[in-house]
């Protein structure tokens, strides 16, 4: 089993910064993609940023130039540095990690419990 734990959310004023962290632990053979989604009240969950093996990154248009995703493979950890935050960035942010438990297993997506980010105007 794989556990995913996020941290780093909170309340910040518009224009401020936050850094989210997400660590995976448990029976992990290898990790492929890691990333972040978010869900604002009354809205569907949307992809924010992702990073696959080889360090290829993808960002939602709404966060390009403001958010940066990075990973520490040795720690099975992914980060989301969020700068120039806007009130519309307010949401619960969920981390996902695509991992497999053995060489012969398929990759599965594991989700964290979510961390609240609130940006005040």
């Amino acid at each position: 089993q794989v556990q995913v734990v996020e941290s780093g959310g909170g309340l910040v004023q518009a224009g401020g910064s936050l850094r989210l962290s997400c660590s995976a632990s448990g029976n992990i053979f290898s990790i492929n993609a890691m990333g972040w989604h978010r869900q604002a009240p009354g809205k569907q969950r949307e992809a924010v940023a992702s990073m696959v093996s080889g360090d290829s990154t993808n960002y939602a248009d709404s966060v390009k130039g403001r958010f940066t995703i990075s990973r520490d493979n040795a720690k099975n950890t992914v980060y989301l540095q969020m700068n120039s935050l806007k009130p519309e960035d307010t949401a619960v942010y969920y981390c996902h990690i695509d991992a497999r438990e053995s060489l012969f297993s398929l990759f599965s997506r594991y989700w964290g419990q979510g961390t609240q980010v609130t940006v005040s105007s």
Side-chain angles (χ1 to χ4, degrees):
Q1 189 63 293
V2 176
Q3 297 80 41
V4 178
V5 178
E6 301 132 335
S7 60
L11 173 64
V12 64
Q13 288 188 332
S17 298
L18 282 174
R19 188 192 195 207
L20 305 182
S21 299
C22 171
S23 295
S25 61
N27 189 25
I28 299 172
F29 177 78
S30 63
I31 292 175
N32 184 12
M34 308 173 86
W36 297 88
H37 282 61
R38 68 185 180 187
Q39 186 166 19
K43 295 187 177 182
Q44 289 188 331
R45 188 177 294 191
E46 61 174 354
V48 175
S50 64
M51 176 178 273
V52 298
S53 58
D55 296 336
S56 173
T57 59
N58 288 285
Y59 295 95
D61 288 342
S62 58
V63 306
K64 282 181 181 177
R66 300 189 298 122
F67 290 10
T68 302
I69 188 171
S70 60
R71 62 193 280 178
D72 185 332
N73 292 326
K75 297 181 179 179
N76 290 338
T77 298
V78 62
Y79 306 96
L80 186 67
Q81 178 67 43
M82 305 185 294
N83 298 328
S84 302
L85 282 161
K86 305 175 181 180
E88 50 264 42
D89 294 318
T90 296
V92 178
Y93 284 70
Y94 297 90
C95 165
H96 71 79
I97 294 178
D98 297 346
R100 58 179 174 174
E101 298 185 31
S102 75
L103 177 63
F104 305 105
S105 301
L106 297 176
F107 283 94
S108 296
R109 176 157 290 185
Y110 300 90
W111 292 93
Q113 78 286 357
T115 185
Q116 177 70 47
V117 171
T118 303
V119 184
S120 63
S121 57

